[in-house]
Amino acid sequence: LHGDAAFAGQGMVAEVFNLAQLRGYRTGGTVHLIVNNQIGFTTPPAAGRSSLYSTDVAKINQVPIFHVNADAPEAAWRVLQIALDYRQEFHKDVVIDLIGFRLHGHNEGDEPTYTQPLMYRRIQEHPGVRSLYAKKLVKEGVLSAEEAADLELTQKTVYEKALAAAKEIASRAKTEPAAAPSSPVSRVPSSDVPTAVPAATLSRIGHVLTTVPAGFHLNPKMVSQLARRAKMAEGAQPLDWSTAEALAFGALLLEGTPIRLSGQDTSRGTFSQRHIVFHDTATGETWTPLSDLDPAQAALAVYDSPLSEVSVLGFEYGYSVEAPETLVLWEAQYGDFANGAQVVIDQFVSSAEDKWREVSRLGLLLPHGYEGQGPEHSSARIERYLQLCAEDNLQVCNVTTPGQYFHLLRRQMRQPHGKPLVLFTPKSLLRFPASFSRLEELASGKFQTVIDDGVKDRAAISRVLLCSGKVFYDLTAAREEKKVSNGAIVRVEQIYPFPDEVLRGILASYPAAKDVVWVQEESKNMGAWSFVSPLLEEVLPPGAVLRYVGRAPSAAVATGNAGVHKRELAALLAEALGGGNV
């Protein structure tokens, strides 16, 4: 259901028409009904579109478009019948442009003659569709004038009774005592959910992942990658991120959880890391090994989406609500590409449960990390998502190991109450061996909201560095290089819901630590700092002081100069570690 101004003016409309016949997004046809008031609030058509009709955007799909006079109810009814029959027969979209007017302007409290005096002079002179249709029926002998008047009176009586009942309820509510507040709809996501998978099951999945079907012509560049995956799944070498992801998907599928993954380049992966779908070099046929695990497994659907964020994420959100048993994941090509879908994130993903009790387990995979690639390919805008966080509405995580990623994906479907997940995924870490996990970490354990340092002499620690994401590995390398022994590095893997009790216990376990530092690679006005700083103040041990270390405030997300990027990183690492032991 559209307004004429919105149908022509909102880019979402054109993007949805582009989805209409694509694999993975077809709905079997949509009937679009435009309530054409010939005005967008106070904007006339001549100022609202360049085309003659508001429906011209629908011509991109060569769908039927019906323009019908709202003063002709029988014609409108007939057009609706044709539209529904067409949709059912051909499974394509159809558009009805119902051309009429709105009697009172934009709303019943508006004064439309301020801006459209001539049009509303004609509207005020218009007898109204009910009166016109009644005269037509009387003229044709279908009804008498008295019968038409009786029908009108009967309907008005129904409305008046409903209004009186509503007023009585409202009046009674003013005098009745307020009901006790209901318990919260949602709870904080639990990290105690069992997510481990037996090693034998993981090896079974890994075997299927790496066994090429007979006669399939594999791209030669994939041979060595599959060989490495086979060793990883056997536990012979540490697991990289894509293998851990595939094992998490495989375990969920075997347990009966369907998976839907979409986004630009998701089947291969933007960074050529995933390769969840393979293409025969001779025939072009595809092979999806995770679909061949077991005849009784759940379904896996992987779609390379069109170059759109807002319409695709809107589709995936709706899918997650309607199919709550499915792990629905949308992956941005780079994390900051989600900027184009911000309206869906603001209006639906972050707030629909609070507004409408709509529960979703949708996961957003947003590649994030400063590697000197410039302002458009660095940041997924952590700060924006944290600003939306309240009342346990989201899960916002920035994990540092494939094992954590594995357990988090499984927790997303195993925790009792569904929550959207915003996950900042790695870029350079995808092939960074120091971040890889052992198979045992998947076969045991669970997701950790905070990962403590493994230092042996906790009494010798005078400075605790708190961080989230990739910067942990930069800090670790710099600490080893500088031979700093009095600093511990603690990773906050889940930023929201904020793990205050876990952090309070960890900080208290360093009795000599009076210097607590939040370290981030993002600029001070970005990243997690503004969100976590007041929360960290509440968990500091007595006498400890909280400091910030990171890049200075900036209008741009990151520098576009690789040399400057390296100097900025070196400076923040030096400040974080204090030039050595203190």
Side-chain angles (χ1 to χ4, degrees):
L1 187 66
H2 308 266
D4 53 310
F7 197 83
Q10 295 292 332
M12 171 75 86
V13 175
E15 294 192 24
V16 169
F17 271 99
N18 186 51
L19 292 181
Q21 294 300 316
L22 297 181
R23 187 179 72 93
Y25 302 95
R26 298 186 187 101
T27 63
T30 301
V31 177
H32 298 269
L33 179 60
I34 300 171
V35 181
N36 192 332
N37 298 324
Q38 303 173 75
I39 189 173
F41 198 175
T42 66
T43 303
R49 60 177 183 265
S50 297
S51 59
L52 177 60
Y53 292 107
S54 65
T55 57
D56 284 351
V57 66
K59 291 180 179 179
I60 62 174
N61 276 12
Q62 297 182 322
V63 301
I65 301 172
F66 296 94
H67 304 282
V68 58
N69 187 348
D71 280 350
E74 292 176 359
W77 174 252
R78 178 64 181 139
V79 162
L80 180 59
Q81 288 181 314
I82 295 171
L84 293 173
D85 289 345
Y86 178 90
R87 186 264 183 196
Q88 295 301 96
E89 178 67 24
F90 298 106
H91 309 294
K92 293 182 66 177
D93 287 17
V94 58
V95 179
I96 300 174
D97 184 17
L98 184 65
I99 302 172
F101 58 85
R102 189 176 179 95
L103 181 61
H104 299 292
H106 186 67
N107 58 56
E108 281 65 23
D110 194 24
E111 179 46 78
T113 60
Y114 289 150
T115 50
Q116 276 76 31
L118 300 182
M119 182 169 77
Y120 271 85
R121 185 182 305 157
R122 295 185 63 184
I123 288 173
Q124 289 163 4
E125 295 169 352
H126 193 286
V129 63
R130 185 206 56 78
S131 178
L132 289 175
Y133 190 49
K135 289 180 180 179
K136 177 179 182 294
L137 294 176
V138 170
K139 183 179 179 180
E140 294 177 354
V142 177
L143 291 174
S144 67
E146 292 76 15
E147 288 173 324
D150 286 344
L151 284 173
E152 180 181 355
L153 179 60
T154 300
Q155 194 60 40
K156 282 185 176 179
T157 301
V158 171
Y159 293 151
E160 291 296 339
K161 287 182 177 179
L163 177 60
K167 287 182 176 180
E168 183 182 348
I169 292 171
S171 176
R172 191 166 59 244
K174 291 180 181 179
T175 58
E176 290 178 349
S182 59
S183 59
V185 172
S186 57
R187 302 293 350 138
V188 177
S190 172
S191 293
D192 294 327
V193 178
T195 54
V197 176
T201 302
L202 297 174
S203 296
R204 172 190 167 193
I205 298 169
H207 177 73
V208 176
L209 284 173
T210 55
T211 303
V212 182
F216 188 88
H217 303 89
L218 187 69
N219 188 306
K221 294 182 179 180
M222 286 304 306
V223 174
S224 59
Q225 185 165 331
L226 286 186
R228 288 195 300 273
R229 279 187 178 178
K231 292 180 179 179
M232 292 175 185
E234 294 167 358
Q237 64 184 59
L239 290 149
D240 63 15
W241 292 76
S242 63
T243 304
E245 177 189 71
L247 293 175
F249 287 169
L252 286 169
L253 292 169
L254 288 175
E255 293 166 359
T257 298
I259 297 173
R260 177 184 168 92
L261 171 65
S262 80
Q264 295 145 24
D265 312 310
T266 52
S267 61
R268 189 202 76 172
T270 295
F271 311 101
S272 195
Q273 85 285 1
R274 178 172 289 122
H275 294 288
I276 200 170
V277 178
F278 298 88
H279 296 261
D280 190 301
T281 57
T283 67
E285 295 294 320
T286 59
W287 165 51
T288 306
L290 283 173
S291 294
D292 299 330
L293 297 172
D294 190 279
Q297 72 174 79
L300 170 69
V302 182
Y303 300 109
D304 291 335
S305 75
L307 188 60
S308 163
E309 286 80 33
V310 62
S311 62
V312 172
L313 182 56
F315 191 100
E316 302 306 335
Y317 172 78
Y319 198 104
S320 72
V321 171
E322 293 302 316
E325 75 288 352
T326 301
L327 174 61
V328 181
L329 299 171
W330 175 75
E331 182 174 61
Q333 196 171 48
Y334 284 84
D336 48 7
F337 286 20
N339 292 345
Q342 196 68 43
V343 64
V344 174
I345 296 165
D346 291 347
Q347 304 298 335
F348 295 93
V349 176
S350 66
S351 59
E353 183 176 3
D354 188 47
K355 292 187 292 190
W356 309 308
R357 298 297 184 256
E358 291 284 13
V359 175
S360 168
R361 295 180 186 267
L362 175 67
L364 276 61
L365 307 181
L366 309 178
H368 175 84
Y370 283 48
E371 282 98 4
Q373 294 184 337
E376 316 312 337
H377 283 167
S378 294
S379 177
R381 292 287 193 178
I382 292 176
E383 64 280 359
R384 289 186 180 172
Y385 298 94
L386 293 176
Q387 188 180 45
L388 296 172
C389 290
E391 302 178 306
D392 305 325
N393 62 329
L394 296 174
Q395 303 162 98
V396 179
C397 299
N398 192 10
V399 301
T400 53
T401 71
Q404 282 281 87
Y405 183 37
F406 173 91
H407 288 294
L408 184 58
L409 287 173
R410 289 183 49 74
R411 187 186 80 166
Q412 185 64 5
M413 297 308 295
R414 294 293 168 257
Q415 58 191 7
H417 190 84
K419 291 289 177 183
L421 168 67
V422 180
L423 178 59
F424 302 103
T425 55
K427 303 197 300 285
S428 60
L429 294 187
L430 293 171
R431 294 178 176 83
F432 187 54
S435 73
F436 294 175
S437 300
R438 293 173 292 105
L439 186 68
E440 302 86 72
E441 296 174 45
L442 280 58
S444 62
K446 61 185 180 181
F447 177 71
Q448 302 176 71
T449 58
V450 182
I451 300 180
D452 195 4
D453 201 324
V455 294
K456 295 180 180 179
D457 187 1
R458 302 180 83 82
I461 299 300
S462 60
R463 176 185 296 125
V464 177
L465 304 179
L466 302 173
C467 64
S468 187
K470 180 180 72 69
V471 73
F472 163 76
Y473 295 101
D474 298 320
L475 286 168
T476 301
R479 180 175 64 175
E480 293 177 358
E481 180 185 352
K482 296 178 182 294
K483 295 181 171 52
V484 175
S485 58
N486 69 327
I489 305 174
V490 177
R491 289 169 272 176
V492 180
E493 303 278 289
Q494 178 177 289
I495 310 173
Y496 188 83
F498 189 67
D500 49 359
E501 291 303 319
V502 179
L503 276 170
R504 182 180 281 110
I506 290 175
L507 292 174
S509 71
Y510 295 101
K514 301 302 179 184
D515 188 19
V516 178
V517 185
W518 177 265
V519 186
Q520 66 180 36
E521 56 184 356
E522 300 86 5
S523 299
K524 191 174 185 180
N525 58 318
M526 303 172 194
W529 168 246
S530 296
F531 180 83
V532 301
S533 55
L535 300 174
L536 289 173
E537 291 284 0
E538 296 181 4
V539 301
L540 291 178
V545 176
L546 177 66
R547 294 191 295 119
Y548 164 83
V549 170
R551 286 175 166 84
S554 172
V557 165
T559 177
N561 184 292
V564 172
H565 163 79
K566 291 178 181 178
R567 290 196 295 272
E568 289 177 345
L569 178 60
L572 75 86
L573 293 175
E575 183 182 358
L577 295 168
N581 291 324
V582 293

